[in-house]
Each structure stands twice: as C-alpha cells, then as structure tokens.
Amino acid sequence: MGLLEKLDTLEEWVREIFSKVPNNGLPKPDFSALLDPFDTPAFCKLYRVVPVRKVHALNITWALPPQEKYYRVKPLHYISWLVGHEGTGSILSVLRKKCWALALFGGNSETGFDQNTTYSIFSISITLTDEGFQNFYELY
C-alpha cells in the first residue's frame, strides 16, 4: 500500500470499511453546559512528585475555552511558537542566563484529550537545573 493513494481510492476504502457501522440515529453528545470543567478545588494546586530519576521539571497547565472554531488560525500554535522560541529575549534564554533551565516546551497536542468541544489544555514544561529547582517559586 502506497503512502500517496488517489482520493477516489481512499474514499473507496473508507466506504468499504465503515459502511457496515450502524447509525443509531442519536445526536452527538453535547457538553456545552460544562463551561468550566476544571472548577474543582483539586485543580488549582501545586503537586510535587518524587521523581524516579534526578530530573527537575516544572509543568504548568491551563484549561482554556474550546478552540474548535479557531481551527483555521490556530492561536495555540502561535502561542506555542512564542513560548517555545529560543532566541534572544525568549523565556528560555532568560532562564538559561540565570542557569535555571535546560529546556522549555509549550503547547497543545490537539488530541481528543487536549482539545475537544469542552476545553483546550495548554501546557508549558520546563526542565530545571538544580539552581532552577531552588528558585522554583520565582518561576511558578
């Protein structure tokens, strides 16, 4: 099977494979009433986890409104690019100058978990040095 099949061939395969899946006639689930799915005291907390190896990491996660209607402009991609930029004046360059961080990643994987019709999750993960770990609260 080639990677570049014609659209007609792909459509034929999809129809062949999925045409026997029954339609139950029910509307798709609607979760729009869940405006704040993370409105729980357990969400806005700091969790410290004992690592299995000596690596210090800071993960910050935000629950944002669903981004489905912005699929053409992809604002989370833009924010990811800004947060993950490593040039002069970037977040990572400032943290590296202070010898607090080794790496930084920010983004949203756009999986069904990280981005759906109820919310979108945006995370920043920073790999800290020992000194960065000592100054953890200034980063947080």
Side-chain angles (χ1 to χ4, degrees), residues 50-126:
V50 178
V52 293
R53 59 186 172 135
K54 189 169 177 106
V55 174
H56 302 295
L58 171 63
N59 294 308
I60 305 170
T61 303
W62 291 269
L64 304 173
Q67 301 294 302
E68 183 179 34
K69 62 184 173 187
Y70 306 117
Y71 75 95
R72 289 186 189 270
V73 292
K74 300 184 183 339
L76 295 184
H77 281 261
Y78 183 70
I79 296 169
S80 297
W81 185 84
L82 291 173
V83 167
H85 179 65
E86 297 183 7
T88 304
S90 68
I91 298 169
L92 183 58
S93 70
V94 170
L95 295 176
R96 282 183 174 165
K97 281 181 186 175
K98 293 184 173 197
C99 296
W100 287 3
L102 302 171
L104 182 145
F105 169 78
N108 172 291
S109 69
E110 295 187 356
T111 63
F113 178 77
D114 282 359
Q115 186 154 302
N116 55 55
T117 58
T118 307
Y119 60 85
S120 292
I121 291 179
F122 186 86
S123 298
I124 295 177
S125 179
I126 306 170

